[in-house]
Amino acid sequence: MADVQLIILFTSMALVVIGLYSAIFVDNIIKKIIGISFIEEGANLFIVAIGYRPGGVVPILMPGMDTSWFATNAAYPLPFGLVLTSIVIGASTLAVMLALVMVIYRRYGTLSTKVMLADTSKQEEYNE
């Protein structure tokens, strides 16, 4: 069962690396946002991997359960609570980022960062 946890850790590392590459080196703003989302999901997957317990049970103490058995077999609830909160916050920030992309596209007519930066430098030359 430790192999499953190791696979999850490598997958989360791959998601973070792909997301960093996309956020830093890709020109399109939408693709940068997708890369940031990959980083977030990689971090969430890493936290879930930390909370994983092979053969674990849901951390809800039911009536009639032996507390010592429950304490040794229950999964860790804190990482799952943190991931659930992170998913809600991530969905909200993703919506705000995409709304900002719509405003940027209306202003510049493109989603390319190179074109926008070139347009900004031209505007600064006109202001001088």
Side-chain angles (χ1 to χ4, degrees), residues 24-29 32 104 108 110-122:
I24 295 171
F25 296 113
V26 175
D27 186 41
N28 191 324
I29 295 177
K32 285 182 182 284
I104 289 170
Y108 292 101
T110 184
L111 293 177
S112 172
T113 55
K114 292 177 185 175
V115 173
M116 282 187 280
L117 290 175
D119 189 37
T120 305
S121 65
K122 288 179 185 176

Side-chain angles (χ1 to χ4, degrees), residues 18-34:
I18 291 168
L20 280 173
Y21 175 81
S22 175
I24 295 171
F25 296 113
V26 175
D27 186 41
N28 191 324
I29 295 177
I30 297 284
K31 292 178 182 176
K32 285 182 182 284
I33 290 174
I34 292 171

Side-chain angles (χ1 to χ4, degrees), residues 2-84:
D3 295 334
V4 172
Q5 193 171 18
L6 192 61
I7 291 170
I8 292 171
L9 290 173
F10 281 130
T11 305
S12 67
M13 182 178 65
L15 283 172
V16 170
V17 169
I18 291 168
L20 280 173
Y21 175 81
S22 175
I24 295 171
F25 296 113
V26 175
D27 186 41
N28 191 324
I29 295 177
I30 297 284
K31 292 178 182 176
K32 285 182 182 284
I33 290 174
I34 292 171
I36 292 169
S37 180
F38 270 41
I39 295 169
E40 175 194 358
E41 296 307 319
N44 287 343
L45 189 60
F46 178 74
I47 294 171
V48 167
I50 290 172
Y52 174 76
R53 179 178 282 187
V57 296
V58 177
I60 299 173
L61 183 62
M62 302 299 281
M65 266 190 189
D66 182 33
T67 54
S68 62
W69 178 87
F70 176 76
T72 58
N73 292 321
Y76 305 116
L78 181 63
F80 301 114
L82 292 173
V83 167
L84 184 60

